[in-house]
Amino acid sequence: METKTGSAQGAVDGYLMADFPWYGLDEAFTGRRWLHTTGASGDGTVEYGSIGHGDEPTLKADPADETLRFAVVMTVAQRPGRRTADGTGLLEATSVSSAAWLAGSGLLACTWPTTMERALRQDWLDQQTATAWELADDLDGAGWSALTLPVDGEPTPFHYRESEYGWVLAGSARGVHLGAFGRGMSAYGLALAAIPDIRAYDGA
């Protein structure tokens, strides 16, 4: 379940409940930073969240607007397979594919063509969502290339792909899975780092 709050304090509270470190771009990025969304399991345990950098994309903006520059970093807790809170089902273990799927669907959510005819939108979204899932489930496939980026100063391998809508990457580091998506900002020059104090970010 994904949640997004409307106030800065409410947004920060969701992040403070996590039992894992949050990651964002390192201090070399000097632009705006903002809280995006967190996701929690049925018992309220925070499982993942995302931190935005640069312009905040909205569905009111034209997805073709090349002036938009943003990068969103996803942090996903490393979890083993486990039972649901009510004991009636099982939750799959998280993986790099989890981060890739969240990043891919995140890019899709903020860049889909709003000018498309209403009758075609759902079919398009279903098709693109299925494609994002298939790509995330085949990280060694031809749809991905290798990219090494610094994470807390250490060279770290990522799976990387580009599309007409932007770029997506995913990897693992320091006990978490990391994903990211963006547009207008090159992924090749980015570096990630643990966030010392999440309360310094804007609530978006």
Side-chain angles (χ1 to χ4, degrees), residues 54-154:
D55 300 320
E56 183 181 4
T58 71
L59 291 182
K60 295 180 181 178
D62 181 357
D65 184 355
E66 296 297 335
T67 66
L68 282 178
R69 299 179 68 253
F70 63 88
V72 177
V73 178
M74 320 281 305
T75 307
V76 182
Q78 288 192 5
R79 308 282 194 207
R82 59 212 188 277
R83 288 197 172 277
T84 56
D86 60 11
T88 61
L90 293 174
L91 295 174
E92 293 184 3
T94 58
S95 64
V96 177
S97 289
S98 305
W101 156 243
L102 288 168
S105 58
L107 178 64
L108 176 62
C110 67
T111 58
W112 65 284
T114 53
T115 55
M116 184 180 295
E117 291 182 18
R118 184 179 300 274
L120 300 177
R121 288 180 187 173
Q122 193 58 54
D123 286 344
W124 185 90
L125 284 170
D126 289 345
Q127 180 187 51
Q128 294 299 316
T129 299
T131 299
W133 175 253
E134 291 170 2
L135 284 166
D137 201 38
D138 186 21
L139 292 175
D140 294 323
W144 299 88
S145 60
L147 176 64
T148 298
L149 296 176
V151 178
D152 290 329
E154 296 292 329

